Amino acid sequence: QVQLVESGGGLVQPGGSLRLSCAASGSFWSINDMAWYRQAPGLQRELVARITRGGGTVYADSVKGRFIISRDNAKNTVYLQMNSLKPEDTAVYYCNAEIRVYAWSSGSEVYWGQGTQATISS
């Protein structure tokens, strides 16, 4: 069974930094795109950043220049370095991955982590 396990959330003051990690475990063939989403209270879940297997990245305008997404394919792990944090970055952050479970699979399945809370407050 494939699982995504996140870590690294917490409470930090405005202007501070957090680093989130998400590791995929279980039995699968390969991982395609990986991404981070976030959901603040009362709002819809939104894409924060996405990274392809080859390292191509896309960022939400609200985090460009402050957040960096990266991945370690050997460890099946994606990271989100969050710098210059603002109160409006407060949300539950979810890891997302497109995983090809079997070598003969025609496509990928989407998996989600359980979420990790990041709170930016003085």
Side-chain angles (χ1 to χ4, degrees):
Q1 184 177 358
V2 179
Q3 285 190 315
L4 298 179
V5 179
E6 299 131 333
S7 61
L11 172 64
V12 65
Q13 292 186 341
S17 297
L18 284 173
R19 188 182 192 227
L20 307 182
S21 299
C22 171
S25 64
S27 179
F28 51 87
W29 181 251
S30 64
I31 303 176
N32 297 326
D33 289 8
M34 303 185 82
W36 288 97
Y37 285 73
R38 68 185 180 187
Q39 187 168 20
L43 299 179
Q44 289 188 331
R45 191 172 298 188
E46 63 175 358
L47 175 68
V48 176
R50 176 177 295 278
I51 185 167
T52 68
R53 184 172 180 81
T57 58
V58 173
Y59 293 94
D61 288 343
S62 59
V63 307
K64 282 181 181 176
R66 299 189 298 123
F67 290 11
I68 300 172
I69 188 171
S70 61
R71 64 190 286 173
D72 184 333
N73 292 331
K75 296 181 178 179
N76 297 317
T77 300
V78 63
Y79 306 96
L80 186 68
Q81 178 66 43
M82 305 190 293
N83 302 318
S84 302
L85 284 162
K86 305 175 181 180
E88 52 263 43
D89 294 318
T90 295
V92 177
Y93 285 73
Y94 296 91
C95 172
N96 167 288
E98 298 174 357
I99 296 177
R100 188 176 178 188
V101 178
Y102 304 106
W104 56 86
S105 298
S106 60
S108 301
E109 298 178 31
V110 177
Y111 290 84
W112 291 91
Q114 80 285 354
T116 185
Q117 176 72 46
T119 302
I120 295 81
S121 175
S122 54

